[in-house]
Amino acid sequence: MDLAQLSARLKRHLRPGVPKYVSLKDAFVEAIATGSLQSGDKIPNEQQLAATLPMSLGTIQRAMRELADTGVIDRRPGHGSFVKGLEKGRMAHPFHCRFISDDGQSYLPVYPEVLGRNLRPSAGQWQKDLPSANAVEITRRIRIADEFYVYIDFYVDADRAPVFSTIELQDLAHSNFKDIIFQACGQAVTTTDLMMKQEIPPAGICKKLEVAAGTVCTGIRATGRLPGADPVYYQHIYIPPSERELHIVADSRAPGFGM
């Protein structure tokens, strides 16, 4: 493992208001997701990391412990820590789909798929919350464990984040979009405006959700903002009836359970 590359990657994830251990976890997850770290690669011990990275040994130990707890790395007593990788198809750290698992202390796994991309989206509600003359629409369906689906219409300012216009759809599939925005803009999405109501999705969306046409779902409109209350994305989320509790987080820097 190249510590210089990890250090450079970490710099992109260090941002105000985000705990350093979360930034280190994000740097590791990004390195794995992009192929810089492969399953089976050995990770330097915590003392070596502390000697290279701008954070304390305790911070590094917490990050490594949580990476192990979530199955990203494998700790082998007497041998060291090794990259275990991410479960195929699973998103590493979701934001708007944090459904509480049975233990009450963690989130259900999510498995997203990108359904399509529209470089010239039709007029709609999104224009009121995202005043951009050049927006890209990404439609996505997310499977929550093996229980139900969530459908999302996502709109992003393509002038701020042009990568959404050109990136291969399979590369978008398992990514956290706010992380892509951070890398594109050099600024983190700091707050999110959330509007929620009960509504009946269009029949085509009900079909994607695998629920009967006319089913009343929870609709969430979310506008992500950069520092200075500057909107960069808008999304409309449809959640079918479920007994699962959703953890609503307005501060995009909040780590959440086990994050």
Side-chain angles (χ1 to χ4, degrees):
M1 180 182 185
D2 190 325
L3 283 174
Q5 285 186 356
L6 178 63
S7 181
R9 196 180 297 273
L10 175 63
K11 288 180 181 179
R12 297 200 299 272
H13 286 278
L14 288 170
R15 48 205 190 270
V18 176
K20 285 188 174 181
Y21 79 90
V22 173
S23 297
L24 181 56
K25 285 172 57 183
D26 287 350
F28 268 104
V29 168
E30 182 193 27
I32 295 168
T34 58
S36 297
L37 284 177
Q38 301 288 329
S39 179
D41 285 352
K42 187 172 183 179
I43 298 171
N45 64 44
E46 293 162 351
Q47 287 74 22
Q48 291 173 311
L49 291 172
T52 303
L53 304 178
M55 53 186 60
S56 69
L57 177 60
T59 296
I60 291 170
Q61 288 173 333
R62 180 172 182 180
M64 302 307 289
R65 182 171 63 251
E66 294 199 5
L67 285 169
D69 289 344
T70 53
V72 177
I73 67 172
D74 182 22
R75 283 178 160 176
R76 305 175 192 170
H79 297 280
S81 296
F82 298 82
V83 174
K84 187 175 180 181
L86 300 173
E87 182 183 351
K88 185 177 180 180
R90 179 173 176 176
M91 184 189 291
H93 42 123
F95 179 60
H96 291 301
C97 291
R98 294 176 172 181
F99 291 91
I100 309 299
S101 62
D102 291 338
D103 63 14
Q105 299 295 321
S106 61
Y107 302 120
L108 294 174
V110 302
Y111 304 90
E113 59 178 316
V114 172
L115 302 178
R117 172 169 51 200
N118 185 358
L119 300 181
R120 295 178 178 83
S122 301
Q125 173 66 41
W126 65 270
Q127 292 175 308
K128 299 179 182 179
D129 297 292
L130 181 66
S132 171
N134 184 22
V136 173
E137 177 189 14
I138 306 290
T139 54
R140 192 155 67 155
R141 185 174 74 164
I142 298 179
R143 175 165 58 88
I144 309 300
D146 289 317
E147 299 184 8
F148 58 93
Y149 288 101
V150 169
Y151 182 93
I152 299 176
D153 270 328
F154 177 88
Y155 300 83
V156 63
D157 186 340
D159 291 326
R160 298 289 188 85
V163 63
F164 283 94
S165 301
T166 58
I167 189 172
E168 295 291 333
L169 291 185
Q170 61 264 29
D171 294 331
L172 274 178
H174 308 125
S175 300
N176 186 309
F177 285 4
K178 70 182 180 66
D179 289 345
I180 297 177
I181 291 170
F182 171 69
Q183 293 169 26
C185 301
Q187 293 180 301
V189 175
T190 53
T191 57
T192 308
D193 290 338
L194 299 168
M195 304 293 288
M196 182 168 60
K197 68 176 182 179
Q198 299 300 299
E199 60 182 311
I200 298 175
I205 293 179
C206 286
K207 186 175 181 179
K208 296 294 184 184
L209 291 171
E210 298 187 1
V211 299
T215 298
V216 177
C217 296
T218 298
I220 300 176
R221 293 187 291 108
T223 304
R225 300 181 183 278
L226 298 173
D230 191 8
V232 68
Y233 77 74
Y234 165 90
Q235 58 185 333
H236 197 150
I237 305 166
Y238 297 92
I239 303 170
S242 166
E243 294 182 358
R244 291 293 181 181
E245 186 175 26
L246 176 64
H247 185 189
I248 300 290
V249 183
D251 185 345
S252 299
R253 298 166 296 181
F257 296 148
M259 301 293 282

